[in-house]
């Protein structure tokens, strides 16, 4: 799979980063992974079938709690899983409770409420560091349809501005941390 080979090459020189050729979820299983070669949607892929994702590949899914239970310490977890966020969090519940890692999480308007409620129960808070809001959800990622944050400003935005917004479509990147650490976080530069 080209993404695995790309990541493997990119992070080859880092001894503390390990790349695995699998997906992550709530349980160990095999699932269909949908993707496209269409330039317009080249960065779109999902475990959910969409009209513009014309190819599929069988992918091994693992549960983080099963795969990494023997690691001594996990400091950071990065999750960008195209709508599978909540299931990944559920499958990493023991690791999160044991290690209290920082979590970088990409969510959508469809998954944010479940993810934030789950993380709050574990004592976490979240800030938005990047957002993309769609004016018209049926048009997609066209230039004039997306309102986005300026990632070069190094600003955080309150998560409450995005919760329970049933009529909005957006993608957010979140910085998630244990509540007691909030005073030490000013910016992410």
């Amino acid at each position: 799979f080209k993404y695995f080979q790309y990541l493997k090459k990119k992070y080859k020189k880092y001894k503390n980063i390990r790349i695995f050729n699998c997906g992550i979820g709530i349980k160990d299983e095999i699932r269909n992974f949908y993707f496209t070669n269409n330039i317009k949607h080249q960065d779109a892929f999902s475990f959910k079938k969409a009209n513009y994702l014309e190819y599929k590949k069988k992918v091994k899914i693992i549960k983080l709690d099963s795969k990494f239970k023997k690691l001594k310490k996990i400091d950071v977890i990065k999750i960008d899983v195209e709508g599978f966020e909540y299931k990944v969090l559920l499958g990493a519940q023991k690791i999160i409770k044991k290690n209290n890692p920082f979590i970088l999480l990409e969510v959508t308007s469809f998954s944010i409420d479940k993810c934030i409620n789950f993380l709050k129960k574990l004592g976490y808070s979240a800030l938005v560091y990047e957002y993309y809001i769609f004016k018209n959800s049926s048009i997609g990622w066209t230039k004039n349809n997306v309102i986005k944050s300026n990632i070069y400003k190094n600003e955080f935005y309150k998560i409450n501005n995005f919760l329970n917004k049933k009529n909005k479509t957006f993608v957010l990147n979140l910085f998630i941390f244990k509540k007691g650490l909030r005073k030490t976080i000013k910016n992410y530069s």
Side-chain angles (χ1 to χ4, degrees):
F1 206 49
K2 70 179 181 177
Y3 300 106
F4 172 68
Q5 295 305 325
Y6 167 77
L7 291 172
K8 198 171 164 185
K9 184 177 177 182
K10 181 177 179 178
Y11 294 105
K12 182 179 176 180
K13 65 182 175 181
Y14 298 99
K15 301 297 179 210
N16 63 335
I17 296 176
R18 297 184 347 200
I19 309 296
F20 298 91
N21 193 9
C22 59
I24 301 168
I26 191 170
K27 61 183 179 180
D28 297 338
E29 63 180 330
I30 304 294
R31 290 188 61 127
N32 285 327
F33 185 69
Y34 299 94
F35 60 99
T36 184
N37 290 330
N38 183 322
I39 300 260
K40 182 178 177 187
H41 301 290
Q42 67 185 352
D43 292 328
F45 25 81
S46 179
F47 287 110
K48 296 177 184 174
K49 177 71 175 122
N51 292 339
Y52 55 88
L53 301 174
E54 66 268 11
Y55 300 106
K56 71 179 176 182
K57 179 177 177 69
K58 295 272 186 209
V59 174
K60 178 182 173 185
I61 305 296
I62 62 165
K63 180 177 173 180
L64 286 177
D65 282 343
S66 301
K67 181 75 174 175
F68 299 106
K69 62 185 170 192
K70 294 181 181 177
L71 283 181
K72 291 180 185 174
K73 180 73 174 142
I74 296 174
D75 296 315
V76 178
I77 298 175
K78 168 72 169 115
I79 304 170
D80 181 351
V81 290
E82 307 303 320
F84 223 53
E85 300 85 25
Y86 183 64
K87 290 182 179 186
V88 169
L89 289 170
L90 289 175
Q93 195 168 179
K94 290 177 185 172
I95 284 175
I96 294 170
K97 285 179 181 178
K98 177 184 170 193
N99 294 280
N100 298 316
F102 290 103
I103 302 171
L104 300 168
L105 176 66
E106 182 181 273
V107 294
T108 68
S109 46
F110 305 107
S111 63
I112 187 171
D113 292 326
K114 276 179 152 177
C115 291
I116 294 302
N117 288 335
F118 172 80
L119 290 162
K120 279 183 180 178
K121 288 177 186 173
L122 297 178
Y124 277 85
S125 293
L127 293 170
V128 177
Y129 68 87
E130 183 178 22
Y131 63 78
Y132 300 88
I133 302 169
F134 298 92
K135 296 175 189 175
N136 180 337
S137 61
S138 63
I139 296 175
W141 289 92
T142 59
K143 185 177 181 178
N144 295 327
N145 189 46
V146 179
I147 302 166
K148 61 183 180 173
S149 58
N150 181 344
I151 61 170
Y152 302 106
K153 278 187 165 181
N154 295 342
E155 291 181 335
F156 286 114
Y157 307 92
K158 293 181 180 177
I159 191 72
N160 293 341
N161 297 335
F162 297 95
L163 297 175
N164 302 310
K165 303 290 185 196
K166 301 298 179 207
N167 58 344
K168 297 285 184 195
T169 303
F170 53 80
V171 174
L172 306 176
N173 282 300
L174 307 178
F175 178 66
I176 300 167
F177 52 94
K178 284 301 258 192
K179 287 182 181 172
L181 297 174
R182 174 64 178 110
K183 291 178 183 174
T184 61
I185 300 168
K186 297 204 183 334
N187 65 44
Y188 65 98
S189 59

